[in-house]
Amino acid sequence: MLADPRLIVALDVPSTGDAEALVATLGDAVSFYKIGYQLAFAGGLDLARRLKDAGKNVFLDMKLLDIDNTMARAVDSVIDLGVDMLTLHAYPKAMRAAVEAASGSGLCLLGVTLLTSMDAADLAEAGYHDDPRALVLRRAEQARQAGMGGIVCSAEEAAMVRPVLSDAMKLVTPGIRPAGAALGDQKRVMAPARALAAGATHLVIGRPISAAADPAAAAREIIAEMRNS
């Protein structure tokens, strides 16, 4: 089965050796990979270049947030890496600075609305007065206004935010769990077919594939579900 570009496999592993072994195991079944903090700080940025050289797509999940100048310079450096997607927290000033820096580059900037491990109690503890849905909706609107390439949100909010996004904007949903998979540290999750039906354009899936006894078979099963949705 050929890869489905809507599936992004999270390389949430401790070393580039582990990541390259997983990529080799998945072979042609997967064409898009996410590199986050764990791997980025263990050689993952060089791996991103190698994956691009091998014809893969790369989603760099760094959730950037800083002053405008630092954001712009960071985006410049990411453009030089040649990756396809980059995340930053969906704060208006940060998004505007990043969008200006990425103009004309082809890099898709994604605004992270709210981590899928957070719920209403977590927001209250952090000092936010909004409930998760209200905060996600406001940040999605701000991402559109800033000219972002898309957003990251829970699949639970996908149907709600899709109407406020432009047609060209990507809607990337982590926290995807096939039937029977453990939730782990995620609190707002959804099955692959339901997430796509709700308006997601890309699904980020990690442990249900990487921790499976047969990762390639797990990826193929998920792709089959996605294509039958």
Side-chain angles (χ1 to χ4, degrees):
M1 178 180 293
L2 294 178
D4 189 315
R6 298 174 298 173
L7 170 63
I8 303 175
V9 172
L11 294 176
D12 294 334
V13 293
S15 73
T16 55
D18 292 325
E20 287 171 322
L22 178 58
V23 171
T25 296
L26 293 173
D28 293 337
V30 175
S31 62
F32 215 144
Y33 289 96
K34 182 192 80 117
I35 294 175
Y37 288 138
Q38 180 182 19
L39 191 58
F41 297 144
L45 300 184
D46 287 334
L47 175 62
R49 291 189 177 94
R50 295 197 295 275
L51 289 172
K52 290 299 299 178
D53 288 343
K56 303 294 187 182
N57 295 113
V58 177
F59 168 24
L60 190 59
D61 186 21
M62 298 305 293
K63 302 181 182 70
L64 302 178
L65 180 62
D66 215 305
I67 63 172
D68 294 3
N69 183 67
T70 300
M71 289 294 296
R73 300 292 74 80
V75 169
D76 287 342
S77 294
V78 172
I79 290 169
D80 289 341
L81 276 177
V83 301
D84 302 277
M85 290 178 168
L86 170 69
T87 53
L88 53 141
H89 282 289
Y91 285 70
K93 277 175 61 65
M95 291 191 291
R96 289 192 294 266
V99 166
E100 183 177 358
S103 178
S105 69
L107 174 65
C108 180
L109 296 172
L110 301 170
V112 177
T113 56
L114 181 65
L115 301 179
T116 53
S117 62
M118 298 184 72
D119 58 17
D122 297 315
L123 282 180
E125 183 180 22
Y128 287 88
H129 299 295
D130 287 332
D131 62 45
R133 290 174 63 85
L135 181 59
V136 169
L137 184 60
R138 184 167 78 251
R139 288 183 167 173
E141 292 172 339
Q142 291 169 333
R144 185 198 70 233
Q145 293 165 359
M148 294 283 284
I151 65 163
V152 179
C153 72
S154 164
E156 286 188 358
E157 288 100 33
M160 174 187 70
V161 302
R162 184 73 256 182
V164 309
L165 303 177
S166 71
D167 291 342
M169 290 179 73
K170 309 300 184 187
L171 203 168
V172 179
T173 55
I176 300 299
R177 291 291 184 269
L183 297 184
D185 55 1
Q186 304 288 355
K187 294 181 179 178
R188 295 168 14 256
V189 303
M190 189 174 286
R194 287 189 61 208
L196 292 172
T201 62
H202 294 76
L203 310 181
V204 179
I205 302 180
R207 284 164 285 188
I209 292 176
S210 62
D214 186 341
R220 288 192 294 268
E221 289 177 8
I222 290 169
I223 291 170
E225 179 182 347
M226 291 167 65
R227 291 178 176 168
N228 290 328
S229 64

